[in-house]
Amino acid sequence: MPILNWLTREEDLKAAKHTPYRLLTEKPELSYGDKNTGNMLIQGDNLQALKALLPFYAGQVKCIFIDPPYNTGARKDADGKDVGYDDNLEHSIWLAMMYPRVELLRELLAEYGVISIQIDDDEMAYLKVIMDEVFDRSNFLNTISIKAKVSSGASGGGEDKKAKKNTEFVLMYCKNRIKFVYRKLYTETPIDVHIQEHKDEDKGFYYTRIIMDFGNRKQIEEVDGLKVFEHTDFVFSSISKVMKEENLTQSQAYSKYYDRIFMVTNAQTSILPRVNGIVNEKQKLISFDYIPTSGKSKGQATTKYIWNETLVVWFKDSANKIGDKVSKTEELGTSWDDISWGRLDLEGGIGFKNGKKPESLLERILTMYSDKGDLVLDSFLGSGTTAAVAQKMGRRYIGVEMGEHAKTHCAVRLQKVIDGEQGGISKAVGWTGGGGFRFFELGEPVFDEEGNIQPNITFDNLATHIWFSETKTPW
């Protein structure tokens, strides 16, 4: 498998191993709410924090989400002066930062767990190669494309002589493909009910939407065990005719006759050529019952309808009706353009100029890869979105942030969540408050530079680290 090389690769491959074990010291005055929930907020260098977590949480984390720095922009000197962007140096620094952290994150991830990393196209390809090396390419799941901002308007993202960026990516890997279980998700989008009432004679199929009331049906044939029926009493009319006769709007007509609307498409003769032959003779609406051997209805008794030589596709089979609203249901794919990135400055009740992620994005990822009570980890916590969403969704969490805003942003945001803050996904998940977290800082190393035990290390702390060192399992 190809590997990535950079200026300091050999040193960086040893960085995780050489990172000292440090104690985690609780700051009770910064902890909040119920301290027995198992939730942790840690301030400190995330490489050292991840190493400190290993003796307690190796192999225990169900879902990891991180949003690391994207490695864009120029470097500055000690006086803040722009000294330009040295591409080779910058890539090496970024890769040196990422590689050991990815290694430790893999150790913390459960065998059936998933890691998701959000990134833009400056380092996405390089990150993919690193992830293939650390997690093994066979454990790659998907690259998710996210529409993160609109590309209209005069403002830009600093792009010069190239298309404005409005897309980011999420690389997803499982730890063990054999134990990983994929969970399908579905999205709903409002259906545009503009009427299309014409027939393309050249292509031989219809765009007309028709409403039909079915009466009795009688069996007219049995072909290869398939019972074919002719409908003896039926009426049909176009949507526009129904709208006129009943004085309905388009939306009202679709909502009222939701379960009786069908579309006719090109005849699928490859599915049932002999039945289509019968249709050609009768020129009537018929139906046949069968049990498909593949597809989403595999093994389930199914009825197909054919009218005027073409297969009928039911509107209700590709849409949902909730109240008076009709929407289309689609299996979630790898292109996510339905998550709003507007007004993120208001989410969580804290300001965060750069990098805040929508709570709805984290809700989707945690829904895909975790359940209530599972442990979630974010070692680049930023504004605290991952921890806030985990709290609202009933997951346990560990968040790591090295900056001062671990206190001024993350802790404050989580306090608001515990008090019942109603922004973001709160209403969607029925959040009313509760829970809590413990706040930790990194303490001194367990061992000094010569490998001697620090004098103030307790037996419990020492035993925990020795146990992990010998067994590679958490205490």
Side-chain angles (χ1 to χ4, degrees):
M1 182 179 68
I3 62 173
L4 194 63
N5 195 19
W6 62 93
L7 293 176
T8 56
R9 175 183 168 87
E10 294 306 314
E11 299 173 23
D12 300 332
L13 295 186
K14 304 172 185 176
K17 181 180 179 180
H18 292 160
T19 299
Y21 281 113
R22 290 183 177 272
L23 299 178
L24 292 173
T25 305
E26 184 179 2
K27 295 294 181 181
E29 67 276 13
L30 295 174
S31 300
Y32 196 78
D34 183 358
K35 299 179 183 179
N36 297 316
T37 58
N39 298 325
M40 301 175 67
L41 178 56
I42 304 171
Q43 182 183 27
D45 177 83
N46 54 14
L47 182 63
Q48 297 183 15
L50 293 174
K51 191 71 173 279
L53 289 168
L54 282 176
F56 306 95
Y57 293 100
Q60 303 297 309
V61 181
K62 179 69 174 295
C63 181
I64 296 173
F65 174 86
I66 61 172
D67 178 31
Y70 289 179
N71 194 21
T72 58
R75 290 177 58 79
K76 299 182 183 296
D77 60 20
D79 297 323
K81 184 180 179 181
D82 191 340
V83 295
Y85 186 88
D86 184 335
D87 189 64
N88 194 31
L89 175 62
E90 291 300 328
H91 279 303
S92 294
I93 293 173
W94 191 84
L95 293 168
M97 181 268 296
M98 288 300 299
Y99 194 96
R101 287 162 175 79
V102 168
E103 281 189 301
L104 294 183
L105 287 169
R106 185 184 182 280
E107 288 194 55
L108 288 162
L109 195 62
E111 285 294 304
Y112 45 83
V114 172
I115 180 172
S116 301
I117 306 181
Q118 187 155 340
I119 199 72
D120 75 355
D121 54 3
D122 282 289
E123 293 289 358
M124 194 271 283
Y126 296 91
L127 178 61
K128 175 68 167 63
V129 178
I130 286 180
M131 294 297 291
D132 283 348
E133 181 178 347
V134 175
F135 276 80
D136 195 274
R137 188 170 181 174
S138 64
N139 290 317
F140 169 67
L141 297 176
N142 286 115
T143 299
I144 305 298
S145 174
I146 300 175
K147 185 177 180 180
K149 57 183 176 180
V150 297
S151 55
S152 60
S155 62
E159 295 84 352
D160 181 24
K161 297 184 179 180
K162 59 182 179 180
K164 177 181 176 180
K165 289 185 181 182
N166 64 351
T167 303
E168 294 185 4
F169 305 93
V170 179
L171 293 179
M172 295 179 170
Y173 283 76
C174 61
K175 186 173 182 178
N176 187 331
R177 172 75 71 163
I178 295 174
K179 295 187 177 182
F180 166 72
V181 178
Y182 176 65
R183 177 180 297 167
K184 290 184 180 180
L185 291 186
Y186 296 87
T187 59
E188 290 188 359
T189 54
I191 289 181
D192 183 356
V193 295
H194 289 298
I195 299 172
Q196 299 174 342
E197 297 211 29
H198 66 274
K199 176 182 176 183
D200 191 323
E201 298 287 355
D202 296 331
K203 294 182 179 178
F205 57 87
Y206 296 81
Y207 291 102
T208 307
R209 291 176 170 86
I210 297 172
I211 294 177
M212 181 163 291
D213 293 314
F214 294 114
N216 299 323
R217 66 177 187 168
K218 64 179 180 179
Q219 184 173 336
I220 59 173
E221 190 77 36
E222 184 166 339
V223 181
D224 296 337
L226 299 175
K227 295 180 180 180
V228 183
F229 301 88
E230 177 187 18
H231 291 262
T232 57
D233 181 25
F234 63 89
V235 283
F236 63 89
S237 58
S238 70
I239 289 286
S240 56
K241 183 179 179 182
V242 171
M243 289 170 55
K244 184 176 180 180
E245 290 176 348
E246 301 186 28
N247 192 27
L248 300 175
T249 65
Q250 294 177 12
S251 297
Q252 288 171 338
Y254 270 74
S255 179
K256 181 175 180 179
Y257 294 103
Y258 160 82
D259 59 341
R260 286 185 285 170
I261 298 174
F262 70 76
M263 299 168 60
V264 287
T265 63
N266 55 308
Q268 299 186 15
T269 55
S270 61
I271 295 178
L272 206 62
R274 296 188 64 180
V275 171
N276 278 328
I278 295 171
V279 174
N280 290 336
E281 285 183 20
K282 299 291 182 179
Q283 291 293 307
K284 294 180 181 179
L285 177 74
I286 71 157
S287 65
F288 56 90
D289 298 335
Y290 76 112
I291 299 178
T293 57
S294 62
K296 67 178 182 180
S297 299
K298 178 180 178 180
Q300 302 176 23
T302 303
T303 301
K304 289 287 186 184
Y305 293 87
I306 294 179
W307 179 73
N308 276 7
E309 305 180 25
T310 60
L311 189 67
V312 168
V313 179
W314 288 100
F315 182 58
K316 63 183 175 61
D317 288 340
S318 59
N320 290 322
K321 181 184 177 187
I322 303 176
D324 292 329
K325 296 181 179 179
V326 177
S327 62
K328 185 176 182 181
T329 299
E330 294 181 298
E331 183 177 342
L332 184 64
T334 58
S335 178
W336 297 359
D337 60 359
D338 60 326
I339 295 176
S340 174
W341 289 67
R343 303 308 300 257
L344 287 186
D345 54 316
L346 301 179
E347 278 201 350
I350 59 164
F352 197 74
K353 185 176 181 180
N354 297 313
K356 186 187 283 187
K357 297 297 179 283
E359 289 194 9
S360 55
L361 171 64
L362 271 299
E363 179 194 15
R364 177 171 293 177
I365 292 174
L366 296 192
T367 300
M368 291 175 69
Y369 298 128
S370 69
D371 295 294
K372 285 188 175 181
D374 285 340
L375 183 60
V376 175
L377 170 64
D378 186 342
S379 56
F380 292 87
L381 193 56
S383 66
T385 303
T386 302
V389 172
Q391 179 84 61
K392 294 177 183 181
M393 294 180 67
R395 277 65 167 166
R396 296 176 295 130
Y397 60 84
I398 300 174
V400 183
E401 180 52 54
M402 69 179 301
E404 187 63 21
H405 54 270
K407 299 175 181 176
T408 61
H409 289 68
C410 299
V412 171
R413 181 173 187 173
L414 290 172
Q415 290 169 12
K416 292 177 182 290
V417 170
I418 292 165
D419 290 340
E421 173 264 322
Q422 287 299 296
I425 65 167
S426 292
K427 290 182 174 60
V429 300
W431 177 250
T432 58
F437 66 89
R438 298 171 69 187
F439 191 100
F440 293 86
E441 292 180 346
L442 287 173
E444 61 182 291
V446 176
F447 306 99
D448 62 21
E449 294 181 357
E450 283 75 36
N452 299 315
I453 302 169
Q454 297 282 15
N456 62 337
I457 299 300
T458 66
F459 175 80
D460 286 343
N461 286 323
L462 179 61
T464 300
H465 285 82
I466 291 176
W467 174 270
F468 177 76
S469 299
E470 295 297 323
T471 67
K472 297 304 178 185
T473 59
W475 180 251

